[in-house]
Amino acid sequence: MAARRLLFRAMYRLGFTPWDGHALARGLRDLIQGDSGAALSPGTVLDLGCGTGDIAIYLAHNGWRVTGVDFTPRALRIARAKAAAAKVSVRFLCADITQLSEADLGEPFNLVTDSGCLHGMNDQDRAMYVRQLNAVTGPDSRLLIVGFTPGALFGVRGIDQPEIERLFAPEWELVSAGDEPNYVPVNGGQPVRHYLLARRA
Ligand SMILES: C[S@@+](CC[C@H](N)C(=O)[O-])C[C@H]1O[C@@H](n2cnc3c(N)ncnc32)[C@H](O)[C@@H]1O
């Protein structure tokens, strides 16, 4: 865990953040703005591993009350500046997702988004992630995860659909999944997928 935190700190310090500026995931856009009846009404959303805030700002622009969490202070400084420039209000918190209960988030979230965070975690952190997630969501909450499938570049471990279903059972059920062909141009063609889950009652 400490190693991962240091790795991200070093990457942000060096300005080596290839995920920055990636296209908005199609799965996210469909969920927020889609006209197929799948779009959610705005509510409270928690963006896990929010980085420099692009997704949080997009959500705020679309009427959501947004909390963005990341454990890299430099990313959050950039995120706060971007939100101020975009004239949107986002609560950005410095916290470790695997210890979210220490952050006192204060509300059950209607939606949780994760773009590129869970997919890099080890087994132990994945299990803690699920426990923490269950504590900040309630029946009918939604969860949208975007991640590389296994075998990606940069040593990112990746995650696939069977693991998603296993990891989040029994509290969550998979609603849909799909490819994200335009998501990150530097991933060497490695498929990126999104997974939409709903919390069971
Ligand atoms: C690949 S970046 C993606 C950033 C952003 N979601 C995006 O799509 O541009 C992953 C982010 O998750 C953060 N992160 C990774 N593990 C974390 C953890 N355990 N707790 C909080 N933040 C974490 C990193 O600092 C980094 O900003």
Side-chain angles (χ1 to χ4, degrees):
M1 165 44 53
R4 187 168 150 84
R5 189 187 286 243
L6 289 174
L7 176 67
F8 275 109
R9 282 192 185 205
M11 291 176 89
Y12 278 106
R13 194 173 309 120
L14 294 170
F16 180 65
T17 54
W19 53 84
D20 256 343
H22 63 71
L24 201 61
R26 191 164 55 190
L28 180 64
R29 198 182 291 280
D30 285 350
L31 195 60
I32 301 305
Q33 295 179 282
D35 55 11
S36 61
L40 298 177
S41 302
T44 52
V45 58
L46 174 64
D47 188 31
L48 296 175
C50 63
T52 64
D54 291 344
I55 291 167
I57 291 166
Y58 165 75
L59 290 162
H61 268 309
N62 282 278
W64 288 77
R65 201 159 80 246
V66 190
T67 300
V69 171
D70 203 288
F71 65 9
T72 308
R74 187 179 293 259
L76 292 171
R77 281 199 294 278
I78 298 170
R80 289 191 183 106
K82 281 188 189 173
K87 296 187 173 23
V88 291
S89 168
V90 177
R91 178 172 65 152
F92 287 112
L93 297 177
C94 192
D96 189 325
I97 294 163
T98 63
Q99 295 162 28
L100 262 192
S101 49
E102 292 176 11
D104 192 18
L105 297 179
E107 51 189 339
F109 292 91
N110 304 118
L111 173 64
V112 177
T113 53
D114 171 343
S115 166
C117 195
L118 177 71
H119 75 171
M121 289 180 169
N122 62 26
D123 284 336
Q124 188 185 353
D125 285 354
R126 288 177 188 202
M128 288 167 72
Y129 176 116
V130 175
R131 277 204 293 280
Q132 299 292 325
L133 174 76
N134 288 345
V136 297
T137 52
D140 211 35
S141 291
R142 302 298 157 106
L143 168 64
L144 185 80
I145 292 173
V146 181
F148 289 178
T149 51
L153 296 182
F154 308 123
V156 178
R157 177 176 161 183
I159 192 158
D160 58 17
Q161 184 168 323
E163 182 176 356
I164 291 272
E165 292 183 273
R166 199 169 52 245
L167 190 61
F168 290 98
E171 286 87 357
W172 298 83
E173 67 176 331
L174 186 71
V175 175
S176 60
D179 286 334
E180 292 290 345
N182 305 317
Y183 188 66
V184 184
V186 295
N187 75 337
Q190 186 66 34
V192 178
R193 305 261 298 159
H194 70 253
Y195 307 94
L196 175 64
L197 299 102
R199 178 104 190 242
R200 292 193 164 97

